[in-house]
PDB file of all heavy atoms in Angstrom:
ATOM      1  N   ARG K  99       4.807  10.205  10.137  1.00 94.00           N
ATOM      2  CA  ARG K  99       5.020  11.448   9.269  1.00 94.00           C
ATOM      3  C   ARG K  99       5.624  12.491  10.078  1.00 94.00           C
ATOM      4  O   ARG K  99       6.573  13.124   9.414  1.00 94.00           O
ATOM      5  CB  ARG K  99       3.577  11.840   8.858  1.00 94.00           C
ATOM      6  CG  ARG K  99       3.513  13.078   7.957  1.00 94.00           C
ATOM      7  CD  ARG K  99       4.025  12.834   6.545  1.00 94.00           C
ATOM      8  NE  ARG K  99       3.326  11.881   5.752  1.00 94.00           N
ATOM      9  CZ  ARG K  99       2.168  12.054   5.014  1.00 94.00           C
ATOM     10  NH1 ARG K  99       1.845  13.442   5.014  1.00 94.00           N
ATOM     11  NH2 ARG K  99       1.657  11.151   4.459  1.00 94.00           N
ATOM     12  N   ARG K 121      10.596   8.493   9.405  1.00 96.00           N
ATOM     13  CA  ARG K 121       9.443   7.597   9.529  1.00 96.00           C
ATOM     14  C   ARG K 121       9.810   6.446  10.357  1.00 96.00           C
ATOM     15  O   ARG K 121      10.044   5.292  10.083  1.00 96.00           O
ATOM     16  CB  ARG K 121       9.427   6.909   8.036  1.00 96.00           C
ATOM     17  CG  ARG K 121       8.132   6.353   7.709  1.00 96.00           C
ATOM     18  CD  ARG K 121       7.946   6.063   6.422  1.00 96.00           C
ATOM     19  NE  ARG K 121       6.614   5.452   6.011  1.00 96.00           N
ATOM     20  CZ  ARG K 121       6.312   4.596   5.060  1.00 96.00           C
ATOM     21  NH1 ARG K 121       7.271   4.328   4.179  1.00 96.00           N
ATOM     22  NH2 ARG K 121       5.058   4.167   5.058  1.00 96.00           N
ATOM     23  N   ALA K 137      12.526   1.200  14.696  1.00 98.00           N
ATOM     24  CA  ALA K 137      12.915   0.990  13.179  1.00 98.00           C
ATOM     25  C   ALA K 137      12.620   2.388  12.614  1.00 98.00           C
ATOM     26  O   ALA K 137      11.473   2.919  12.663  1.00 98.00           O
ATOM     27  CB  ALA K 137      12.065   0.016  12.650  1.00 98.00           C
ATOM     28  N   ILE K 149      15.788   5.044  27.498  1.00 92.00           N
ATOM     29  CA  ILE K 149      14.584   5.628  27.861  1.00 92.00           C
ATOM     30  C   ILE K 149      14.688   6.627  28.893  1.00 92.00           C
ATOM     31  O   ILE K 149      14.000   7.735  28.894  1.00 92.00           O
ATOM     32  CB  ILE K 149      13.557   4.595  28.396  1.00 92.00           C
ATOM     33  CG1 ILE K 149      13.188   3.487  27.198  1.00 92.00           C
ATOM     34  CG2 ILE K 149      12.345   4.897  29.035  1.00 92.00           C
ATOM     35  CD1 ILE K 149      12.702   2.307  27.546  1.00 92.00           C
ATOM     36  N   PRO K 159      22.981   0.424  11.226  1.00 96.00           N
ATOM     37  CA  PRO K 159      22.772   0.848   9.906  1.00 96.00           C
ATOM     38  C   PRO K 159      22.368  -0.276   8.890  1.00 96.00           C
ATOM     39  O   PRO K 159      22.322  -1.376   9.296  1.00 96.00           O
ATOM     40  CB  PRO K 159      23.985   1.632   9.451  1.00 96.00           C
ATOM     41  CG  PRO K 159      25.012   0.649  10.286  1.00 96.00           C
ATOM     42  CD  PRO K 159      24.410   0.209  11.426  1.00 96.00           C
ATOM     43  N   ALA K 168      11.272  -7.454  16.694  1.00 98.00           N
ATOM     44  CA  ALA K 168      10.938  -8.355  17.737  1.00 98.00           C
ATOM     45  C   ALA K 168      12.225  -8.578  18.548  1.00 98.00           C
ATOM     46  O   ALA K 168      13.332  -8.558  17.997  1.00 98.00           O
ATOM     47  CB  ALA K 168      10.437  -9.679  17.336  1.00 98.00           C
ATOM     48  N   ARG K 175      19.105 -10.554  21.194  1.00 97.00           N
ATOM     49  CA  ARG K 175      18.926 -10.485  19.782  1.00 97.00           C
ATOM     50  C   ARG K 175      17.737  -9.736  19.341  1.00 97.00           C
ATOM     51  O   ARG K 175      16.674  -9.754  20.094  1.00 97.00           O
ATOM     52  CB  ARG K 175      18.825 -11.901  19.067  1.00 97.00           C
ATOM     53  CG  ARG K 175      20.072 -12.802  19.203  1.00 97.00           C
ATOM     54  CD  ARG K 175      19.742 -14.059  18.522  1.00 97.00           C
ATOM     55  NE  ARG K 175      18.772 -14.924  19.235  1.00 97.00           N
ATOM     56  CZ  ARG K 175      18.389 -16.029  18.979  1.00 97.00           C
ATOM     57  NH1 ARG K 175      18.668 -16.480  17.782  1.00 97.00           N
ATOM     58  NH2 ARG K 175      17.508 -16.687  19.616  1.00 97.00           N
ATOM     59  N   GLY K 194      26.336  -5.448  18.194  1.00 94.00           N
ATOM     60  CA  GLY K 194      25.976  -4.903  16.891  1.00 94.00           C
ATOM     61  C   GLY K 194      26.141  -5.806  15.655  1.00 94.00           C
ATOM     62  O   GLY K 194      25.880  -5.366  14.589  1.00 94.00           O
ATOM     63  N   VAL K 310      -7.677  -7.108  18.739  1.00 98.00           N
ATOM     64  CA  VAL K 310      -7.266  -7.022  17.293  1.00 98.00           C
ATOM     65  C   VAL K 310      -7.670  -5.782  16.839  1.00 98.00           C
ATOM     66  O   VAL K 310      -8.932  -5.301  16.966  1.00 98.00           O
ATOM     67  CB  VAL K 310      -7.828  -8.154  16.524  1.00 98.00           C
ATOM     68  CG1 VAL K 310      -7.306  -8.076  15.067  1.00 98.00           C
ATOM     69  CG2 VAL K 310      -7.463  -9.497  17.022  1.00 98.00           C
ATOM     70  N   VAL K 324      -9.265 -18.235  24.404  1.00 97.00           N
ATOM     71  CA  VAL K 324      -9.475 -19.584  24.630  1.00 97.00           C
ATOM     72  C   VAL K 324     -10.489 -20.286  23.817  1.00 97.00           C
ATOM     73  O   VAL K 324     -10.360 -21.270  23.032  1.00 97.00           O
ATOM     74  CB  VAL K 324      -9.546 -19.997  26.102  1.00 97.00           C
ATOM     75  CG1 VAL K 324      -9.587 -21.448  26.468  1.00 97.00           C
ATOM     76  CG2 VAL K 324      -8.498 -19.254  26.952  1.00 97.00           C
ATOM     77  N   ASP K 359      -4.691  10.128  16.500  1.00 97.00           N
ATOM     78  CA  ASP K 359      -4.964  10.139  17.899  1.00 97.00           C
ATOM     79  C   ASP K 359      -4.836   8.776  18.511  1.00 97.00           C
ATOM     80  O   ASP K 359      -4.554   7.758  17.737  1.00 97.00           O
ATOM     81  CB  ASP K 359      -6.287  10.865  18.235  1.00 97.00           C
ATOM     82  CG  ASP K 359      -7.495  10.380  17.353  1.00 97.00           C
ATOM     83  OD1 ASP K 359      -7.311   9.163  16.951  1.00 97.00           O
ATOM     84  OD2 ASP K 359      -8.396  11.149  17.176  1.00 97.00           O
ATOM     85  N   ARG K 369     -15.188  -0.079  27.483  1.00 97.00           N
ATOM     86  CA  ARG K 369     -15.633   1.226  27.018  1.00 97.00           C
ATOM     87  C   ARG K 369     -14.470   2.125  26.739  1.00 97.00           C
ATOM     88  O   ARG K 369     -13.560   2.108  27.534  1.00 97.00           O
ATOM     89  CB  ARG K 369     -16.715   1.870  27.893  1.00 97.00           C
ATOM     90  CG  ARG K 369     -17.988   1.244  27.853  1.00 97.00           C
ATOM     91  CD  ARG K 369     -18.833   1.890  28.881  1.00 97.00           C
ATOM     92  NE  ARG K 369     -20.163   1.125  29.012  1.00 97.00           N
ATOM     93  CZ  ARG K 369     -21.158   1.318  28.069  1.00 97.00           C
ATOM     94  NH1 ARG K 369     -21.128   2.132  27.186  1.00 97.00           N
ATOM     95  NH2 ARG K 369     -22.135   0.544  28.271  1.00 97.00           N
TER      96      ARG K 369
END
Side-chain angles (χ1 to χ4, degrees):
Chain K
R99 184 65 66 85
R121 209 169 176 205
I149 294 167
R175 292 180 294 174
V310 184
V324 183
D359 51 25
R369 285 175 186 281

